[in-house]
Amino acid sequence: DHVKMAVAGGGRVDPVETSKRSALRRVANPLKCGQAYENHYVFDIATFEWRNRFIRWAAQDELTDEIPVKRIREWLAPFGMTREVENLLILAWALIDDKEFARHGGTVQVAAGRDVRDDYVLRNPVLPSEQAWESALHRAAVVLGQTALPQGLTAANVRTLAMAVRDRAKAVRNDVAEVLAQLTKHRELLGLDDQSPRM
């Protein structure tokens, strides 16, 4: 959770909850998965040493498009980590390098460490253009009232926007269908045809 918060917050969580500071320092610092200080946590390229190792190992294996999670586990095997720690490092790498998880060609959501499966791969996402992203954010705000959305163009933020729009669209689907039914019913009275903007 702190890795996610740090990535969303530009590389830093400040302040860290008092009750979580000690555990975060005991896990993150020796693992080199960010750096926990007295009351804040930093997670960026400089404090996540595993990123460079993963990139180097992938290059040695000539893996560029898709990197199997199973292969990442093989790279980590000599370190004797638990599966949970491996999952943390894999998720952290995906977040810091804006990679997405996929299975059989389709993107999959990985919300927590327990969701990291050996038959998944990490890959670079296909993102919209900056202009298309800005337009999508604007339309989500104006048309659907979705204003509290992350702004940066990342795979995670694109998924968040898509889920928010989908959820909002489901919530208003019946109302929109009813408006269309009423307009269709009264189209002659209102002077509407199929090309009318309201239709």
Side-chain angles (χ1 to χ4, degrees):
D1 289 342
H2 283 80
V3 169
K4 287 180 187 176
M5 287 187 288
V7 169
R12 185 179 175 108
V13 177
D14 192 6
V16 172
E17 282 182 50
T18 306
S19 63
K20 297 184 178 179
R21 291 176 185 170
S22 176
L24 190 59
R25 276 194 303 270
R26 285 194 319 267
V27 174
N29 294 358
L31 189 56
K32 308 287 190 218
C33 187
Q35 184 70 38
Y37 295 95
E38 186 63 32
N39 63 354
H40 66 279
Y41 172 66
V42 176
F43 179 80
D44 57 19
I45 292 171
T47 61
F48 183 56
E49 294 182 12
W50 292 97
R51 177 184 181 267
N52 291 336
R53 292 181 187 197
F54 289 142
I55 291 171
R56 186 175 66 249
W57 289 330
Q60 288 170 350
D61 285 3
E62 298 180 0
L63 297 170
T64 54
D65 297 331
E66 294 186 345
I67 303 164
V69 167
K70 185 176 181 181
R71 184 64 182 136
I72 299 170
R73 291 196 195 285
E74 291 168 359
W75 297 335
L76 294 172
F79 296 93
M81 299 174 182
T82 65
R83 189 171 181 86
E84 291 79 11
V85 173
E86 290 176 355
N87 290 348
L88 169 62
L89 296 177
I90 294 166
L91 281 168
W93 185 28
L95 284 168
I96 203 160
D97 275 356
D98 196 29
K99 293 187 179 298
E100 66 185 8
F101 288 89
R103 181 174 181 245
H104 305 304
T107 304
V108 291
Q109 292 290 84
V110 175
R114 66 183 172 277
D115 300 331
V116 178
R117 295 176 33 169
D118 288 352
D119 60 342
Y120 289 173
V121 296
L122 277 180
R123 66 182 184 190
N124 293 324
V126 176
L127 297 174
S129 69
E130 193 70 42
Q131 182 180 2
W133 174 245
E134 292 299 326
S135 177
L137 287 174
H138 176 73
R139 289 178 181 173
V142 172
V143 177
L144 299 174
Q146 298 289 334
T147 55
L149 293 169
Q151 300 297 306
L153 179 53
T154 67
N157 290 351
V158 170
R159 283 191 300 274
T160 299
L161 173 64
M163 286 189 294
V165 168
R166 210 174 291 123
D167 290 347
R168 182 70 179 128
K170 284 180 187 174
V172 299
R173 176 183 287 156
N174 291 339
D175 293 338
V176 171
E178 179 59 27
V179 168
L180 179 60
Q182 291 300 318
L183 289 173
T184 302
K185 181 178 176 181
H186 301 290
R187 71 188 307 151
E188 287 183 31
L189 176 66
L190 298 171
L192 301 174
D193 61 31
D194 289 341
Q195 304 306 314
S196 299
R198 191 160 190 189
M199 292 299 284

Coordinates of all heavy atoms in Angstrom, one line a residue, residues 50-91:
W50 N 16.1 -2.9 -6.7 CA 15.8 -4.1 -7.5 C 15.4 -3.7 -8.9 O 15.6 -4.6 -9.8 CB 14.6 -4.8 -6.8 CG 15.0 -5.4 -5.5 CD1 14.8 -4.9 -4.3 CD2 15.7 -6.7 -5.4 NE1 15.3 -5.7 -3.3 CE2 15.9 -6.8 -4.0 CE3 16.1 -7.6 -6.2 CZ2 16.5 -7.9 -3.5 CZ3 16.8 -8.7 -5.7 CH2 16.9 -8.9 -4.3
R51 N 15.0 -2.5 -9.2 CA 14.6 -2.1 -10.6 C 15.8 -2.4 -11.5 O 15.6 -3.0 -12.6 CB 14.2 -0.7 -10.6 CG 13.9 -0.2 -12.0 CD 13.6 1.3 -12.0 NE 13.2 1.8 -13.3 CZ 14.1 2.3 -14.2 NH1 15.4 2.4 -13.8 NH2 13.7 2.7 -15.4
N52 N 17.0 -1.9 -11.2 CA 18.1 -2.1 -12.0 C 18.5 -3.5 -12.2 O 18.9 -3.9 -13.3 CB 19.3 -1.3 -11.5 CG 19.1 0.2 -11.6 OD1 18.3 0.7 -12.4 ND2 19.8 0.9 -10.7
R53 N 18.3 -4.3 -11.2 CA 18.6 -5.8 -11.3 C 17.6 -6.4 -12.3 O 18.0 -7.2 -13.2 CB 18.5 -6.5 -10.0 CG 19.6 -6.1 -9.0 CD 19.4 -6.8 -7.7 NE 20.3 -6.4 -6.7 CZ 20.6 -7.0 -5.6 NH1 20.1 -8.2 -5.4 NH2 21.5 -6.6 -4.7
F54 N 16.3 -6.1 -12.1 CA 15.3 -6.6 -13.0 C 15.6 -6.3 -14.5 O 15.5 -7.1 -15.4 CB 13.9 -6.2 -12.6 CG 13.4 -6.8 -11.3 CD1 12.7 -6.0 -10.4 CD2 13.6 -8.1 -11.0 CE1 12.2 -6.6 -9.2 CE2 13.2 -8.7 -9.8 CZ 12.4 -7.9 -8.9
I55 N 15.9 -5.0 -14.7 CA 16.2 -4.5 -16.1 C 17.4 -5.3 -16.6 O 17.4 -5.7 -17.8 CB 16.4 -3.0 -16.1 CG1 15.1 -2.3 -15.8 CG2 17.0 -2.6 -17.4 CD1 15.2 -0.8 -15.6
R56 N 18.4 -5.4 -15.8 CA 19.6 -6.1 -16.3 C 19.3 -7.6 -16.6 O 19.7 -8.1 -17.6 CB 20.7 -6.0 -15.2 CG 22.1 -6.6 -15.7 CD 23.2 -6.4 -14.7 NE 23.0 -7.1 -13.4 CZ 22.7 -6.5 -12.2 NH1 22.6 -5.2 -12.1 NH2 22.5 -7.3 -11.2
W57 N 18.6 -8.3 -15.7 CA 18.3 -9.7 -15.9 C 17.4 -9.9 -17.1 O 17.6 -10.8 -17.9 CB 17.6 -10.3 -14.7 CG 18.4 -10.4 -13.5 CD1 19.8 -10.7 -13.5 CD2 18.1 -10.3 -12.1 NE1 20.2 -10.8 -12.2 CE2 19.2 -10.6 -11.3 CE3 16.9 -10.1 -11.4 CZ2 19.2 -10.6 -9.9 CZ3 16.8 -10.1 -10.0 CH2 18.0 -10.3 -9.3
A58 N 16.4 -9.0 -17.3 CA 15.6 -9.0 -18.5 C 16.4 -8.9 -19.8 O 16.2 -9.6 -20.8 CB 14.5 -8.0 -18.4
A59 N 17.4 -7.9 -19.8 CA 18.2 -7.7 -20.9 C 19.1 -9.0 -21.2 O 19.3 -9.4 -22.4 CB 19.1 -6.5 -20.7
Q60 N 19.6 -9.6 -20.1 CA 20.4 -10.8 -20.3 C 19.6 -11.9 -20.9 O 20.2 -12.7 -21.7 CB 21.0 -11.2 -19.0 CG 22.1 -10.3 -18.4 CD 22.5 -10.6 -17.0 OE1 21.8 -11.4 -16.3 NE2 23.6 -10.0 -16.5
D61 N 18.3 -12.0 -20.6 CA 17.5 -13.0 -21.1 C 16.8 -12.6 -22.4 O 16.0 -13.3 -23.0 CB 16.4 -13.4 -20.1 CG 16.9 -14.2 -19.0 OD1 18.1 -14.5 -18.9 OD2 16.1 -14.6 -18.1
E62 N 17.2 -11.4 -22.9 CA 16.6 -10.8 -24.1 C 15.1 -10.8 -24.1 O 14.4 -11.0 -25.1 CB 17.1 -11.6 -25.4 CG 18.6 -11.5 -25.5 CD 19.1 -12.3 -26.7 OE1 18.3 -12.9 -27.5 OE2 20.3 -12.3 -26.9
L63 N 14.5 -10.4 -22.9 CA 13.1 -10.2 -22.7 C 12.8 -8.7 -22.8 O 13.2 -7.9 -22.0 CB 12.7 -10.7 -21.4 CG 12.9 -12.2 -21.1 CD1 12.6 -12.6 -19.7 CD2 11.9 -13.0 -22.0
T64 N 12.1 -8.3 -23.9 CA 11.8 -6.9 -24.1 C 10.3 -6.6 -24.0 O 9.9 -5.7 -23.4 CB 12.4 -6.4 -25.4 OG1 11.9 -7.3 -26.5 CG2 13.9 -6.5 -25.4
D65 N 9.5 -7.4 -24.7 CA 8.1 -7.2 -24.8 C 7.3 -7.7 -23.5 O 6.5 -7.0 -23.0 CB 7.5 -7.7 -26.0 CG 8.1 -7.1 -27.3 OD1 8.5 -5.9 -27.2 OD2 8.1 -7.8 -28.3
E66 N 7.5 -8.9 -23.2 CA 6.8 -9.5 -22.1 C 7.8 -10.3 -21.2 O 8.7 -11.0 -21.7 CB 5.7 -10.5 -22.6 CG 4.6 -9.9 -23.3 CD 3.5 -10.8 -23.7 OE1 3.7 -12.1 -23.6 OE2 2.4 -10.4 -24.0
I67 N 7.7 -10.1 -19.9 CA 8.5 -10.7 -18.9 C 7.7 -11.6 -18.0 O 6.9 -11.1 -17.3 CB 9.3 -9.6 -18.1 CG1 10.1 -8.7 -19.0 CG2 10.2 -10.3 -17.1 CD1 10.5 -7.4 -18.4
P68 N 7.8 -12.9 -18.2 CA 7.0 -13.8 -17.4 C 7.3 -13.7 -15.9 O 8.5 -13.6 -15.4 CB 7.4 -15.2 -17.9 CG 8.1 -15.0 -19.2 CD 8.7 -13.6 -19.1
V69 N 6.2 -13.7 -15.1 CA 6.4 -13.6 -13.6 C 7.2 -14.8 -13.2 O 8.0 -14.7 -12.3 CB 5.0 -13.6 -12.9 CG1 5.1 -13.8 -11.5 CG2 4.4 -12.2 -13.2
K70 N 6.9 -16.0 -13.8 CA 7.7 -17.2 -13.4 C 9.2 -17.0 -13.6 O 10.0 -17.4 -12.7 CB 7.2 -18.4 -14.3 CG 7.8 -19.7 -13.9 CD 7.2 -20.8 -14.7 CE 7.8 -22.1 -14.3 NZ 7.3 -23.3 -15.0
R71 N 9.6 -16.3 -14.6 CA 11.0 -16.0 -14.8 C 11.5 -15.1 -13.8 O 12.7 -15.2 -13.3 CB 11.2 -15.5 -16.3 CG 12.7 -15.3 -16.6 CD 13.5 -16.6 -16.6 NE 14.9 -16.4 -16.8 CZ 15.8 -17.0 -16.2 NH1 15.6 -17.9 -15.2 NH2 17.1 -16.8 -16.5
I72 N 10.8 -14.1 -13.4 CA 11.2 -13.2 -12.4 C 11.4 -13.9 -11.1 O 12.4 -13.7 -10.4 CB 10.2 -12.0 -12.2 CG1 10.0 -11.2 -13.5 CG2 10.6 -11.1 -11.0 CD1 8.8 -10.2 -13.4
R73 N 10.5 -14.9 -10.8 CA 10.7 -15.7 -9.6 C 12.0 -16.5 -9.6 O 12.7 -16.7 -8.6 CB 9.5 -16.6 -9.4 CG 8.3 -15.9 -9.0 CD 7.2 -16.9 -8.4 NE 5.9 -16.3 -8.4 CZ 5.5 -15.4 -7.6 NH1 6.3 -14.9 -6.6 NH2 4.2 -14.9 -7.6
E74 N 12.4 -17.0 -10.8 CA 13.6 -17.7 -11.0 C 14.8 -16.8 -10.7 O 15.8 -17.2 -10.1 CB 13.7 -18.3 -12.4 CG 12.7 -19.4 -12.6 CD 12.6 -19.8 -14.1 OE1 13.3 -19.2 -14.9 OE2 11.8 -20.8 -14.3
W75 N 14.7 -15.5 -11.1 CA 15.8 -14.6 -10.8 C 16.0 -14.4 -9.3 O 17.1 -14.2 -8.8 CB 15.6 -13.2 -11.5 CG 15.5 -13.2 -13.0 CD1 16.1 -14.1 -13.9 CD2 14.8 -12.3 -13.8 NE1 15.9 -13.8 -15.2 CE2 15.1 -12.7 -15.2 CE3 14.1 -11.2 -13.6 CZ2 14.5 -11.9 -16.2 CZ3 13.6 -10.4 -14.6 CH2 13.8 -10.8 -15.9
L76 N 14.8 -14.4 -8.7 CA 14.8 -14.1 -7.2 C 15.1 -15.3 -6.4 O 15.4 -15.2 -5.2 CB 13.5 -13.5 -6.8 CG 13.2 -12.1 -7.4 CD1 11.7 -11.7 -7.0 CD2 14.2 -11.0 -6.9
A77 N 15.0 -16.5 -6.9 CA 15.2 -17.7 -6.2 C 16.5 -17.8 -5.3 O 16.4 -18.2 -4.2 CB 15.1 -18.9 -7.1
P78 N 17.6 -17.4 -5.8 CA 18.9 -17.5 -5.0 C 18.8 -16.6 -3.8 O 19.6 -16.9 -2.9 CB 19.9 -16.9 -6.0 CG 19.4 -17.1 -7.4 CD 17.9 -16.9 -7.2
F79 N 17.9 -15.7 -3.7 CA 17.8 -14.8 -2.5 C 17.0 -15.4 -1.3 O 17.0 -14.9 -0.2 CB 17.3 -13.5 -2.8 CG 18.2 -12.7 -3.8 CD1 17.9 -12.8 -5.2 CD2 19.2 -11.9 -3.3 CE1 18.8 -12.1 -6.1 CE2 20.0 -11.3 -4.2 CZ 19.8 -11.4 -5.6
G80 N 16.3 -16.6 -1.6 CA 15.6 -17.3 -0.6 C 14.4 -16.5 0.0 O 14.2 -16.6 1.2
M81 N 13.8 -15.7 -0.8 CA 12.6 -14.9 -0.3 C 11.4 -15.8 -0.2 O 11.2 -16.7 -1.0 CB 12.4 -13.8 -1.2 CG 13.5 -12.8 -1.4 SD 13.2 -11.6 -2.6 CE 14.7 -10.7 -2.6
T82 N 10.4 -15.3 0.6 CA 9.1 -15.9 0.6 C 8.4 -15.4 -0.6 O 8.7 -14.4 -1.2 CB 8.3 -15.5 1.9 OG1 8.1 -14.1 1.8 CG2 9.0 -15.9 3.1
R83 N 7.3 -16.1 -1.0 CA 6.5 -15.7 -2.1 C 5.9 -14.3 -1.9 O 5.8 -13.6 -2.9 CB 5.4 -16.8 -2.3 CG 4.7 -16.6 -3.6 CD 3.7 -17.8 -3.8 NE 3.0 -17.7 -5.1 CZ 3.4 -18.1 -6.3 NH1 4.6 -18.6 -6.4 NH2 2.7 -17.9 -7.3
E84 N 5.6 -14.0 -0.7 CA 5.0 -12.7 -0.4 C 6.0 -11.6 -0.7 O 5.6 -10.5 -1.2 CB 4.5 -12.6 1.0 CG 3.3 -13.5 1.3 CD 3.6 -14.9 1.5 OE1 4.8 -15.3 1.7 OE2 2.7 -15.7 1.6
V85 N 7.2 -11.8 -0.3 CA 8.3 -10.8 -0.6 C 8.5 -10.7 -2.1 O 8.7 -9.6 -2.6 CB 9.6 -11.1 0.2 CG1 10.7 -10.1 -0.2 CG2 9.3 -11.0 1.7
E86 N 8.6 -11.8 -2.8 CA 8.7 -11.8 -4.2 C 7.6 -11.0 -4.9 O 7.8 -10.1 -5.7 CB 8.8 -13.2 -4.8 CG 10.0 -14.0 -4.5 CD 9.9 -15.4 -5.0 OE1 8.9 -15.8 -5.5 OE2 10.9 -16.1 -4.8
N87 N 6.4 -11.2 -4.4 CA 5.2 -10.5 -5.0 C 5.4 -9.0 -4.7 O 5.0 -8.2 -5.6 CB 3.9 -11.0 -4.3 CG 3.6 -12.4 -4.8 OD1 4.2 -13.0 -5.7 ND2 2.6 -13.0 -4.1
L88 N 5.8 -8.6 -3.6 CA 6.0 -7.2 -3.3 C 7.0 -6.6 -4.3 O 6.7 -5.5 -4.8 CB 6.5 -7.0 -1.8 CG 7.0 -5.6 -1.5 CD1 5.9 -4.6 -1.6 CD2 7.6 -5.6 -0.1
L89 N 8.1 -7.2 -4.5 CA 9.1 -6.7 -5.4 C 8.6 -6.7 -6.9 O 8.9 -5.7 -7.6 CB 10.4 -7.5 -5.3 CG 11.1 -7.5 -4.0 CD1 12.4 -8.4 -4.0 CD2 11.5 -6.0 -3.6
I90 N 7.9 -7.7 -7.3 CA 7.3 -7.7 -8.6 C 6.3 -6.6 -8.8 O 6.3 -5.8 -9.8 CB 6.7 -9.1 -8.9 CG1 7.8 -10.1 -9.0 CG2 5.9 -9.0 -10.2 CD1 7.3 -11.6 -8.9
L91 N 5.4 -6.4 -7.8 CA 4.4 -5.3 -7.9 C 5.1 -4.0 -7.8 O 4.7 -3.0 -8.6 CB 3.4 -5.4 -6.7 CG 2.4 -6.5 -6.8 CD1 1.6 -6.7 -5.5 CD2 1.4 -6.1 -7.9

